[in-house]
């Protein structure tokens, strides 16, 4: 199996993550321990190679923080929605399986979108068609076509948010072109 | 100890108590959802969402009580791994449940996956295969080996890679 070589720079965020996990597990963030952790991270990443995670090379912190806060709020809302539905509707709840095509074809983006969707209110990924980058979402309490349209919009908004945070430049440009109103192009992204 | 510090202690204790009770309530909710919801996939909603929040609240309570800075990275890592693994397990169970038809079609207002599965099941074989017979007779529960087999091949290409990743992560 041949593997496209990845530069250390694109791999760096993942290696740093491994070192943080190492430090957290040892509860020791002293330089010596971190250095040893970095060594192990490098060896692990070189020897046990999985299909490479292709990071896009950009990460917008200004957009990531509000996204994370909204996400946390949605996790809370999801729990209370489940409480409400479980108590009030229970066995009579009506659901739907909805097909939503995504914009991005990157594995990482599809996975991230699927993860976020599974944790926010009312959606769960049932099936992924990787070739067309289509998610099949199981929506809780989707009674009619209007609700289903809302769910589709929610999915695509979630993906748009993630693209703005860490999509590739090409994906971002496509998104801007799609969402920009007919007037002049919107202001440039903060990198 | 100054009275001021005592006040802070009381506040932290109170917060911890609130978080612990709320976290436990979330787990209770998950159980209620499992009992009340009609089919597997809506139960997966109940099994994932409140429990993630419940664990978050319990971890915060632990962090507040331990009062050691080094405990926070462990707690954060624990919660992040929860965020990463819970959707995967819910997806795997939901996906298997859909394929083995552990669902109530009459409770689905829209089902856009069914047509896809049927099309991919019918494509390779001749029309009028076991699949259509199943649909006509409503024998979804039995004899759907053909459906699962072909649909699986078609939609499953990426299943292996992701499955491997999931395993090695866990």
């Amino acid at each position: 199996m041949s593997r496209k070589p990845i530069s250390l720079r694109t791999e760096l965020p993942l290696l740093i993550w491994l070192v943080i996990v190492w430090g957290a597990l040892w509860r020791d963030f002293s330089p010596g321990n971190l250095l040893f952790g970095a060594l192990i991270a490098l060896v692990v990443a070189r020897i046990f190679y999985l299909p490479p995670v292709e990071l896009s090379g950009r990460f917008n912190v200004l957009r990531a923080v509000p996204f994370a806060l909204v996400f946390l709020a949605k996790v809370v809302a999801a729990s209370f929605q489940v409480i409400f539905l479980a108590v009030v509707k229970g066995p009579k709840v009506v659901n739907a399986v909805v097909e939503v095509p995504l914009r991005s074809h990157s594995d990482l983006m599809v996975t991230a979108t699927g993860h976020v969707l599974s944790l926010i209110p009312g959606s769960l990924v049932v099936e992924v068609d990787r070739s067309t980058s289509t998610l099949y979402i199981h929506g809780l309490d989707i009674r009619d076509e209007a609700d289903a349209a809302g769910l589709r919009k929610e999915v695509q908004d979630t993906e748009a948010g993630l693209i703005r945070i860490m999509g590739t430049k090409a994906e971002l440009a496509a998104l801007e072109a799609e969402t920009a109103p007919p007037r002049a192009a919107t202001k440039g992204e903060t990198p | 100890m100054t009275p001021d510090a005592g006040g802070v202690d009381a506040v932290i204790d109170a917060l911890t108590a609130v978080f612990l009770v709320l976290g436990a309530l979330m787990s209770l909710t998950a159980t209620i959802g499992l009992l009340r919801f009609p089919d597997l996939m809506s139960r997966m909603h109940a099994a994932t969402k409140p429990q993630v929040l419940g664990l978050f609240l319990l971890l915060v309570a632990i962090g507040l009580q331990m009062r050691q800075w080094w405990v926070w990275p462990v707690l954060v890592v624990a919660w992040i791994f929860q965020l990463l693994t819970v959707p995967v397990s819910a997806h795997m169970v939901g996906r298997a449940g859909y394929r083995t038809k552990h669902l109530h079609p009459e409770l689905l207002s829209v089902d856009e996956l069914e047509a896809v599965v049927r099309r991919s099941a019918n494509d390779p074989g001749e029309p009028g295969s076991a699949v259509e017979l199943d649909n006509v007779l409503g024998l979804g529960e039995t004899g759907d080996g053909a459906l699962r087999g072909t649909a699986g091949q078609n939609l499953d290409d990426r299943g292996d890679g992701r499955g491997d990743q999931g395993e090695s992560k866990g």
Side-chain angles (χ1 to χ4, degrees):
Chain A
M1 183 165 108
S2 66
R3 180 193 187 189
K4 197 168 60 178
I6 334 170
S7 71
L8 194 65
R9 191 178 159 277
T10 43
E11 219 177 10
L12 200 59
L14 299 172
L15 291 178
I16 290 175
W17 163 244
L18 283 179
V19 174
I20 291 175
V21 171
W22 174 266
L25 291 180
W26 282 105
R27 299 165 189 172
D28 177 5
F29 286 88
S30 63
N33 192 40
L34 290 187
L35 193 68
F36 191 55
L39 212 66
I40 291 185
L42 268 176
V43 170
V44 165
R46 286 281 167 258
I47 294 181
F48 303 106
Y49 62 76
L50 289 165
V53 178
E54 289 167 20
L55 299 176
S56 67
R58 60 176 283 278
F59 190 86
N60 189 333
V61 180
L62 287 180
R63 288 204 184 263
V65 171
F67 187 88
L69 291 178
V70 170
F71 170 71
L72 205 58
K74 280 184 177 170
V75 169
V76 175
S79 301
F80 285 98
Q81 186 211 28
V82 167
I83 300 177
F84 173 77
L85 288 175
V87 172
V88 175
K89 298 231 173 149
K92 292 186 290 295
V93 69
V94 173
N95 308 313
V97 178
V98 175
E99 171 182 1
V100 187
L102 295 183
R103 303 176 182 91
S104 172
H105 283 255
S106 119
D107 284 349
L108 180 65
M109 196 56 72
V110 174
T111 311
T113 310
H115 267 76
V116 173
L117 285 175
S118 296
L119 294 166
I120 65 175
S123 48
L124 188 75
V125 178
V126 180
E127 189 67 77
V128 188
D129 190 345
R130 188 188 179 194
S131 61
T132 58
S133 187
T134 304
L135 291 183
Y136 296 89
I137 309 279
H138 181 262
L140 196 61
D141 194 29
I142 303 291
R143 278 153 303 188
D144 49 29
E145 195 51 53
D147 288 350
L151 179 62
R152 272 185 215 110
K153 187 173 180 312
E154 168 95 47
V155 173
Q156 298 201 319
D157 287 352
T158 303
E159 199 212 4
L162 284 167
I163 286 180
R164 290 202 177 96
I165 292 173
M166 57 177 194
T168 60
K169 290 211 172 67
E171 285 166 0
L172 189 65
L175 179 67
E176 292 295 328
E178 176 190 329
T179 54
R183 62 184 169 79
T186 45
K187 291 180 293 281
E189 282 284 319
T190 27
Chain B
M1 197 174 268
T2 63
D4 192 25
V8 171
D9 275 358
V11 169
I12 289 181
D13 280 353
L15 271 179
T16 309
V18 170
F19 283 155
L20 281 177
V21 171
L22 273 180
L25 272 180
M26 288 301 149
S27 299
L28 176 67
T29 309
T31 318
I32 295 175
L34 285 180
L35 284 174
R36 291 272 291 165
F37 281 140
D39 61 356
L40 185 135
M41 275 186 290
S42 32
R43 284 183 187 144
M44 289 319 294
H45 285 274
T48 51
K49 282 152 196 171
Q51 185 243 342
V52 167
L53 178 62
L55 184 74
F56 175 75
L57 294 171
L58 293 176
L59 290 177
V60 171
I62 292 173
L64 286 174
Q65 280 299 306
M66 294 286 282
R67 312 220 191 142
Q68 308 275 350
W69 70 269
W70 51 255
V71 79
W72 286 100
V74 187
L75 300 180
V76 170
V77 166
W79 198 56
I80 288 181
F81 273 110
Q82 185 82 358
L83 288 184
L84 289 175
T85 51
V86 158
V88 174
S89 55
H91 164 62
M92 294 316 282
V93 173
R95 183 164 167 258
Y98 191 93
R99 298 217 171 162
T100 50
K101 302 193 171 170
H102 282 283
L103 78 169
H104 297 287
E106 72 276 10
L107 288 176
L108 292 176
S109 61
V110 182
D111 188 352
E112 292 173 341
L113 180 54
E114 194 208 355
V116 179
V117 170
R118 196 185 307 164
R119 205 184 321 135
S120 63
N122 274 339
D123 253 354
E126 68 285 356
S129 61
V131 184
E132 280 191 356
L133 197 63
D134 278 352
N135 286 335
V136 169
L137 297 177
L139 290 176
E141 297 292 331
T142 54
D144 58 348
L147 172 67
R148 258 180 293 165
T150 47
Q153 280 164 15
N154 208 332
L155 288 168
D156 219 16
D157 303 331
R158 112 238 67 107
D160 304 327
R162 200 151 287 167
D164 288 345
Q165 273 179 339
E167 272 171 25
S168 58
K169 229 184 256 172

